[in-house]
Amino acid sequence: MRGSERTKVGPALIVLAAAGGLGACNTASPVLTTGSIPDRKPPMVVSDAERDCLGRAMYFESNRSDSDGLVAVGTVVMNRLENAIFPGGICAVVGQPGQFAPGVLTKPMQEKDLQKVADAADAVLAGERHPKVGKAMFFHTAGHRFPYTNMHYVAVAGGNAFYEKRDRRTAKLEKPAQQDRPATPALPATALTFAAVPAPPAAGP
């Protein structure tokens, strides 16, 4: 997105990084408001800490990729934020045990990437979403395969494969609408470094 369409938050992330505050999601911070983007989700009002937690999830889970990969992960975080099974604010969603990469809220970020991450996080908070991720709330490293039948893949971005969990009843109800959609994207064979959401439990859904 162009700079005129959203508030730049690079300085906020850089200041937090310099102060060692990245990932400190339980600290009080001034509330910030992002600008609006037409035909997107409504902009959100968040604190510096919440914005930092979103940026960190996007950074570490997208293999530090381009804007497409960053926004894809950000879309999942925001989808979870809107869902009752993942309660709390952004930091609570990102910090939920066993959901995102270990240390995502505390590991150091490279200074050269902070502006890119800040821009992408600001775009998501201003309402931007990845067009293919849709309502998906789950992803794993692209190239991994699992035997479960309820994993409906919708996109591959930033080295991750994004999917929705659908039971058989939901799949049957939505099947007619799926006929006009493009085929599920092929998953790359290469597994990348940063794993995302853990593999589904061995017992199956």
Side-chain angles (χ1 to χ4, degrees):
M1 302 298 297
R2 293 185 295 276
S4 62
E5 293 180 300
R6 62 176 185 254
T7 305
K8 297 293 183 183
V9 297
L13 284 177
I14 291 173
V15 169
L16 285 172
L22 287 171
C25 295
N26 56 356
T27 58
S29 302
V31 174
L32 304 176
T33 306
T34 61
S36 63
I37 299 176
D39 302 322
R40 303 296 176 88
K41 291 278 190 175
M44 289 193 64
V45 176
V46 298
S47 66
D48 286 341
E50 293 282 286
R51 186 179 307 220
D52 181 51
C53 290
L54 175 63
R56 285 180 153 277
M58 294 165 68
Y59 178 75
F60 288 110
E61 295 289 8
S62 68
N63 198 33
R64 303 166 187 149
S65 66
D66 58 14
S67 178
D68 188 58
L70 291 167
V71 171
V73 173
T75 299
V76 167
V77 173
M78 302 311 284
N79 287 346
R80 287 183 172 214
L81 184 66
E82 296 170 3
N83 193 290
I85 65 174
F86 297 101
I90 294 174
C91 292
V93 168
V94 174
Q96 189 173 33
Q99 294 300 307
F100 290 89
V104 68
L105 295 178
T106 57
K107 292 189 293 188
M109 299 169 66
Q110 295 185 23
E111 187 172 351
K112 67 181 180 64
D113 294 326
L114 290 180
Q115 185 63 55
K116 174 177 69 175
V117 174
D119 289 346
D122 190 53
V124 169
L125 290 170
E128 183 174 342
R129 297 292 184 271
H130 193 283
K132 294 183 179 178
V133 170
K135 297 180 180 180
M137 292 190 292
F138 304 94
F139 60 98
H140 59 71
T141 303
H144 289 184
R145 293 281 187 171
F146 301 97
Y148 308 111
T149 58
N150 67 340
M151 299 169 72
H152 176 77
Y153 290 96
V154 295
V156 174
N160 292 312
F162 296 81
Y163 66 96
E164 299 173 1
K165 285 186 177 180
R166 297 182 180 179
D167 58 28
R168 292 177 182 174
R169 182 171 176 269
T170 302
K172 286 180 179 178
L173 290 174
E174 296 186 358
K175 191 172 182 180
Q178 299 284 336
Q179 292 175 353
D180 296 329
R181 294 187 183 181
T184 301
L187 303 182
T190 305
L192 300 180
T193 304
F194 292 98
V197 177

